[in-house]
Amino acid sequence: MAARVPGGVTLPTGRVAAVRDLSREFGGRTVLDRLDLEIAEGEFIALLGRSGSGKSTLLRALAGLDDGTEGVVTVTGSVAVAFQEPRLIPWRRVRANVTLGLHAPDAGVRADAALAEVELTARADAWPLTLSGGEAQRASLARALVREPELLLLDEPFSALDALTRMTMHHLVLTLWSVHRPAVLLVTHDVDEALLLADRVLVLDGGRIAHESPVTARRPRHRDDPELVSLRSALLAALGVTAGGAA
Ligand SMILES: Nc1ncnc2c1ncn2[C@@H]1O[C@H](COP(=O)(O)OP(=O)(O)OP(=O)(O)O)[C@@H](O)[C@H]1O
Ligand SMILES: [Mg+2]
């Protein structure tokens, strides 16, 4: 069903978001330059790009957190964001953090269900500062999930975690995605993470989507899958990384 959002464009069937001609400048410096992007319902996208290329800026625009952009951002349905740092409020217990800003009468029940899904039931009454890094990220995911988003924006949510916890989180995110089927836009610096998780990998460069690779390998994926091996080289080249390091 086509949808229309005030100030936006009519989205074709099956799209949850569209960005047209999106530009953003900071102090006269162009970070996003007439960027176009469409996100399909239920699609898992990974967004790569060098540091400072504008990934978080694009995410903030999609989340409606930036009123300094030019162009059109249309999003149908609800959006939730999880950031690199879990951004839990220290003086509220985990459950209260999950329900923060949620005014539904069944907010507590929904929070408990979300906490169960991320396997954090045992820490529902804990204070955020007593959580491990992985637990805090799971709480942050529960807070996003409880909003039942149609578009889930994840800004490097695993980058501060150790390798083992990160693998557990990959598995968890894929499980949650397959159950709830939101569209996901995951910002990451990690090409392998992008290839293991996403249906489509984008590279942001020069203020636009400079490279795009669909990933068709079946999940669960393995790093040595021939498709992933060849995509890895293409993506590293698009990121300007050569065998000797950054170009
Ligand atoms: N509020 C702001 N004021 C001034 N400059 C900003 C602001 N927000 C972002 N920028 C600049 O815009 C550029 C893009 O920032 P952004 O945070 O989107 O990059 P990024 O791709 O997410 O980088 P990283 O991978 O390091 O997180 C950077 O040069 C940054 O300094
Ligand atoms: Mg960023």
Side-chain angles (χ1 to χ4, degrees):
M1 190 182 71
R4 192 170 175 81
V5 167
V9 294
T10 304
L11 290 188
T13 309
R15 298 287 184 276
V16 74
V19 171
R20 298 256 185 280
D21 266 339
L22 182 70
S23 295
R24 180 57 156 121
E25 284 188 2
F26 290 107
R29 197 164 58 86
T30 302
V31 171
L32 300 180
D33 186 11
R34 288 167 290 145
L35 182 145
D36 290 324
L37 173 65
E38 282 195 357
I39 303 176
E41 285 169 8
E43 180 181 26
F44 200 134
I45 300 178
L47 179 65
L48 296 166
R50 295 183 217 206
S51 184
S53 59
K55 303 178 299 295
S56 297
T57 302
L58 174 58
L59 237 72
R60 279 200 300 274
L62 276 164
L65 297 173
D66 184 358
D67 53 15
T69 54
E70 279 179 49
V72 182
V73 176
T74 310
V75 179
T76 63
S78 56
V79 183
V81 195
F83 297 95
Q84 177 172 4
E85 69 289 2
R87 298 195 182 182
L88 302 173
I89 295 180
W91 56 87
R92 297 200 182 207
R93 293 179 195 270
V94 167
R95 185 188 292 102
N97 264 281
V98 172
T99 56
L100 204 71
L102 198 67
H103 300 299
D106 61 345
V109 176
R110 280 166 56 183
D112 284 340
L115 285 168
E117 280 198 90
V118 300
E119 295 175 20
L120 214 56
T121 301
R123 309 306 312 272
D125 293 315
W127 297 107
L129 291 176
T130 68
L131 301 181
S132 71
E135 287 172 337
Q137 272 304 355
R138 280 188 275 150
S140 168
L141 264 184
R143 185 174 52 190
L145 265 186
V146 83
R147 285 157 176 75
E148 297 174 4
E150 278 149 76
L151 177 58
L152 178 59
L153 303 172
L154 302 174
D155 196 352
E156 302 196 48
F158 317 128
S159 59
L161 305 176
D162 65 86
L164 221 66
T165 310
R166 190 189 284 220
M167 280 168 64
T168 312
M169 291 296 288
H170 288 167
H171 184 70
L172 175 64
V173 164
L174 279 179
T175 304
L176 296 173
W177 172 68
S178 64
V179 172
H180 297 279
R181 280 287 166 175
V184 176
L185 182 61
L186 167 75
V187 171
T188 175
H189 276 114
D190 183 338
V191 172
D192 286 316
E193 182 170 285
L195 289 170
L196 286 174
L197 299 178
D199 298 316
R200 189 154 66 107
V201 182
L202 310 177
V203 176
L204 182 58
D205 191 26
R208 300 192 188 188
I209 305 302
H211 179 98
E212 171 168 347
S213 294
V215 190
T216 58
R218 284 175 57 130
R219 298 178 180 89
R221 295 176 183 160
H222 299 284
R223 277 175 57 101
D224 47 4
D225 182 301
E227 182 190 353
L228 302 197
V229 172
S230 94
L231 285 175
R232 184 178 299 119
S233 310
L235 287 166
L236 288 172
L239 288 164
V241 179
T242 62

